[in-house]
Amino acid sequence: VDSAAVARQRDLVDAAHKRDLGQSTTQRAIESLLYPSTHPLGAGAVDGLPSITAADVKTHLRERLGPERMAVAIVGDVDAEKASSLVTKY
């Protein structure tokens, strides 16, 4: 994750948000019921977008997607010792 990647994603989200503003009034009303402004996908979700940095993304990934939050399922004809060593390594 670097600043350029965050900027590219920010531009994509911003473009999608602008496109969504062109939705019908009915569609926007339905989405506002499903996702209130306090919801991460709500109308206010993009308000903080310009202030997100690469460091923010790295912190989020470290806090939310660390190894302690993972579950691994290994199925099929596998060597148990090799599978265990690969899980430990990665």
Side-chain angles (χ1 to χ4, degrees):
V1 176
D2 60 18
S3 296
V6 171
R8 284 191 302 273
Q9 290 302 313
R10 185 183 304 122
D11 291 344
L12 289 171
V13 171
D14 191 44
H17 178 67
K18 287 177 182 171
R19 184 183 63 242
D20 291 346
L21 291 176
Q23 292 175 333
S24 71
T25 305
T26 304
Q27 181 66 28
R28 284 196 310 266
I30 291 169
E31 287 185 3
S32 70
L33 292 172
L34 291 172
Y35 308 112
S37 62
T38 55
H39 188 279
L41 298 176
V46 296
D47 294 344
L49 193 60
S51 65
I52 294 175
T53 65
D56 295 330
V57 173
K58 287 177 185 178
T59 298
H60 174 79
L61 292 174
R62 209 174 300 112
E63 290 175 355
R64 305 291 174 137
L65 299 176
E68 67 280 356
R69 293 182 174 257
M70 293 179 67
V72 177
I74 301 172
V75 297
D77 186 20
V78 296
D79 179 309
E81 286 184 31
K82 186 172 183 176
S84 178
S85 67
L86 288 172
V87 168
T88 301
K89 180 178 178 180
Y90 294 104

